[in-house]
Amino acid sequence: MTDLPTHGRFEGRAHLLPVRVYYEDTDFTGVVYHANYVRYFERGRSDFLRAVGIGHAELLEGDSPLAFVVSRMELAFVKPARIDDALVVRTLYEAVRGPRLIIRQAIERGGEVLTRAEVEAVCIHLDGRPRRPSAALVEKVKPWLDPSQA
C-alpha cells in the first residue's frame, strides 16, 4: 500500500476513478448536493489525463503553456448518491476536434448509473484564446479515443 492518492484504473477505453461520498458532499438529507457531481466529473477527467501521463502543472510550465476550460456540459441526474456511498466515476475521452475534447462520463454505484455527463472541454492559451492541443498531448490521448470518431 502507498500513501499516494490513486489516479484510478482503465477498463478498456474507460477510466474508472473510485470516489467516496463524505458528509461535506451532501445536503441536509444526506443526498449528494447536485453541484458536487460536477466536482466528481472534474476529478475523473483530470485523473484520466494524469493516468496517461498528462499533468496540469506540466501543461502550464511548457514552452507553449496551455489549459482547459469546459465550454459545454450536459448533465442527467438519474438517481441520487448518498452519504458513505462508494462511487465510480467512469470517463471516456471520445474525440479531439480542433481545440475541443469531447468526453462522456458517468457516476455509478455498484454498476448502476446515477448521473451522466456529456462534456466539451476546450484547449486554450493562457490568455483565454482557443488553441489546438500539442502533438504530445494528442499522442498520449489518442489510444483512448473512440476509433469511430477519428
Side-chain angles (χ1 to χ4, degrees), residues 10 45-46 48-62 64-69 93-103 121-125 131-145:
F10 283 93
R45 292 189 307 277
S46 292
F48 170 100
L49 292 174
R50 188 174 288 109
V52 300
I54 302 166
H56 286 289
E58 72 185 52
L59 292 175
L60 291 172
E61 296 166 358
S64 183
L66 64 91
F68 298 101
V69 294
Y93 273 66
E94 295 290 335
V96 176
R97 296 185 188 130
R100 296 176 295 138
L101 289 89
I102 310 303
I103 307 143
V122 176
C123 187
I124 62 168
H125 293 277
R131 62 163 288 186
R132 289 186 179 275
S134 68
L137 186 150
V138 172
E139 279 304 308
K140 288 180 180 178
V141 171
K142 194 174 191 176
W144 306 103
L145 300 177

Side-chain angles (χ1 to χ4, degrees), residues 5-137:
T6 178
H7 59 252
R9 65 182 176 85
F10 283 93
E11 185 177 273
R13 287 183 39 246
H15 178 262
L16 307 178
L17 179 68
V19 176
R20 172 77 61 193
V21 176
Y22 294 104
Y23 181 78
E24 67 186 14
D25 298 322
T26 63
D27 62 18
F28 69 96
T29 68
V31 171
V32 171
Y33 181 67
H34 70 279
N36 287 323
Y37 292 97
V38 175
R39 293 177 193 271
Y40 300 154
F41 285 134
E42 177 66 35
R43 291 178 198 167
R45 292 189 307 277
S46 292
D47 279 334
F48 170 100
L49 292 174
R50 188 174 288 109
V52 300
I54 302 166
H56 286 289
E58 72 185 52
L59 292 175
L60 291 172
E61 296 166 358
D63 292 338
S64 183
L66 64 91
F68 298 101
V69 294
V70 171
S71 62
R72 187 182 67 79
M73 179 180 280
E74 183 177 325
L75 299 171
F77 298 98
V78 180
K79 293 185 174 187
R82 301 183 184 281
I83 194 164
D84 291 331
D85 278 353
L87 307 177
V88 172
V89 180
R90 181 179 295 272
T91 301
L92 285 149
Y93 273 66
E94 295 290 335
V96 176
R97 296 185 188 130
R100 296 176 295 138
L101 289 89
I102 310 303
I103 307 143
R104 191 166 33 106
Q105 295 184 279
I107 293 174
E108 303 171 354
R109 179 184 53 223
E112 181 179 30
V113 174
L114 304 181
T115 308
R116 284 195 252 356
E118 300 289 330
V119 181
E120 182 179 280
V122 176
C123 187
I124 62 168
H125 293 277
L126 296 186
D127 66 4
R129 290 179 298 122
R131 62 163 288 186
R132 289 186 179 275
S134 68
L137 186 150

